[in-house]
Amino acid sequence: MQTSAAVKPDDSRPTSTVEVTKKRGFVFELLKNKVLYLMAIPGILYFLIWHYLPMVGIVIAFKNYNVIDGIFGSEWAGFKNFDFLVKSGDIFRITFNTLFLNTLFIGFGTLFQVGIAIMLNEVGKSWFKKLSQSLLLLPYFISWVVVGVFVYYIFATNTGMLNGLLGWFGIDPVPWYQSPEFWPAILTATYIWKWVGYGSVIYLAAIVGIDSTIYEAAKIDGCSKWQLIRYVTIPMLMPTIMVLTLLSIGGIFYGDFGMIFNIVKSNVLIFETTDVIDTYVYRSFQGTGGGMGSIAMGSAAGALQSFLGFVTIITANWLVRRYNRDYALY
């Protein structure tokens, strides 16, 4: 009986053709994709100049800043500016307002954007869907300055359209600009009106990208329209919803300055519920607001704002990662 010989590896190939593993470092990567890195230079410069270099100014928060001595010449104050903010109570009010308003914006904004995207997806007439998208997207292109004028002519006490409408029904006019309790709802409604079209387009694109065979299989199983939305559309939208919500949470301690400033302006009567960190810092730098604050205290409030935003996004991403790793940003 003939025994089979052991199969030996083929050594007939020349040594020069054997692949040699090379260590590919940063220089190799840079040379290989040099065109892509050159295209990225404008974006890198933008972030360096407008986002990273200004971070040097954070030292103002820890100094008794004055214009003559400058940023680096002013004497150190330690945490004195932060201590004043805490003792004055301003930091608690503006931080709560910022967090509360942004929570309303994110929560109700996401709800309306997803809802409208689903409704647009269910519209059968192509012309009506395009017309609706155009009308919904139109407010996104209107400046907050113009929106502020619209809001004023709606809620002005004596000449406002809303009080005029209430007068037709025999209801006494409401002093909207003297009643801070109404403004969280007014600002939330304004925010939704302006941003719902833009957000719904993003979610509508995500819905269009869902595999149609999933819907077909659900229809074969006897699912109704509502069941398709509940058990197919919404679950398939969850990754997009979570990512966009996490990105919004990253700026939850940053109030929409353009919105608040142009709608509320300098009306101190409603600052109780509308004054946010951004407007507080702005008035501190301007030296307005009844002797409120200074540049150093404004910088302290801005530094605290950045720190709280950083902690919030890290915590939110960690919680989402614990729930579902695929939904996390990193």
Side-chain angles (χ1 to χ4, degrees):
M1 184 175 180
Q2 186 178 4
T3 58
S4 59
V7 179
K8 296 182 179 181
D10 184 12
D11 295 331
S12 60
R13 291 182 303 165
T15 307
S16 59
T17 61
V18 179
E19 294 182 1
V20 180
T21 304
K22 296 181 179 180
K23 186 178 181 180
R24 299 182 176 183
F26 174 73
V27 177
F28 177 84
E29 174 67 22
L30 197 63
L31 293 174
K32 180 182 177 182
N33 300 305
K34 55 181 178 295
V35 176
L36 297 178
Y37 285 111
L38 285 173
M39 293 173 63
I41 286 177
I44 294 172
L45 290 176
Y46 168 79
F47 281 99
L48 284 175
I49 295 172
W50 297 105
H51 291 271
Y52 285 94
L53 288 180
M55 291 175 66
V56 178
I58 198 173
V59 298
I60 298 177
F62 303 94
K63 290 195 170 189
N64 286 323
Y65 176 78
N66 63 80
V67 179
I68 297 176
D69 295 329
I71 295 177
F72 300 103
S74 301
E75 62 180 33
W76 288 94
F79 290 93
K80 182 179 178 182
N81 294 315
F82 295 91
D83 185 59
F84 178 84
L85 284 173
V86 173
K87 288 183 178 179
S88 66
D90 288 338
I91 194 63
F92 298 107
R93 175 177 57 84
I94 61 177
T95 301
F96 173 79
N97 288 342
T98 305
L99 184 61
F100 179 66
L101 288 174
N102 278 324
T103 301
L104 292 176
F105 295 163
I106 295 172
F108 286 100
T110 302
L111 181 65
F112 276 85
Q113 289 166 11
V114 172
I116 289 178
I118 292 173
M119 286 189 289
L120 287 174
N121 185 62
E122 296 298 326
V123 173
K125 299 293 184 180
S126 177
W127 66 269
F128 184 77
K129 181 184 294 186
K130 292 179 180 179
L131 178 63
S132 301
Q133 284 181 296
S134 301
L135 293 176
L136 287 169
L137 196 59
L138 181 62
Y140 172 75
F141 298 101
I142 300 177
S143 168
W144 279 121
V145 178
V146 179
V147 174
V149 176
F150 289 165
V151 172
Y152 175 78
Y153 281 110
I154 291 173
F155 294 99
T157 303
N158 297 322
T159 58
M161 183 179 68
L162 186 55
N163 276 341
L165 185 62
L166 293 176
W168 278 93
F169 295 96
I171 303 174
D172 295 334
V174 178
W176 301 102
Y177 280 93
Q178 301 173 24
S179 307
E181 65 273 14
F182 295 118
W183 283 91
I186 294 173
L187 293 175
T188 302
T190 307
Y191 177 90
I192 292 172
W193 172 78
K194 187 167 178 19
W195 287 97
V196 70
Y198 178 83
S200 63
V201 169
I202 298 174
Y203 289 114
L204 183 60
I207 294 174
V208 173
I210 298 175
D211 191 352
S212 60
T213 58
I214 300 176
Y215 286 104
E216 292 173 3
K219 289 178 181 178
I220 292 173
D221 289 338
C223 288
S224 62
K225 280 287 186 181
W226 168 246
Q227 289 174 326
L228 287 175
I229 294 172
R230 181 179 178 183
Y231 297 110
V232 179
T233 305
I234 294 178
M236 296 296 288
L237 275 180
M238 283 307 297
T240 305
I241 294 173
M242 294 302 296
V243 169
L244 293 179
T245 302
L246 278 175
L247 292 174
S248 299
I249 289 175
I252 198 169
F253 281 99
Y254 288 84
D256 194 328
F257 175 79
M259 174 186 182
I260 304 294
F261 181 77
N262 286 289
I263 293 178
V264 177
K265 296 182 171 42
S266 299
N267 187 356
V268 296
L269 297 176
I270 57 176
F271 275 179
E272 180 184 343
T273 59
T274 60
D275 196 19
V276 295
I277 298 176
D278 295 82
T279 53
Y280 181 92
V281 172
Y282 173 79
R283 293 199 311 278
S284 297
F285 283 128
Q286 290 290 105
T288 59
M292 177 204 68
S294 64
I295 292 179
M297 281 185 288
S299 298
L304 183 61
Q305 177 186 36
S306 300
F307 174 75
L308 291 174
F310 174 76
V311 172
T312 303
I313 187 60
I314 293 296
T315 305
N317 188 77
W318 177 77
L319 291 173
V320 171
R321 194 177 181 85
R322 289 284 301 271
Y323 172 70
N324 191 322
R325 182 182 293 268
D326 295 334
Y327 294 169
L329 292 177
Y330 51 87

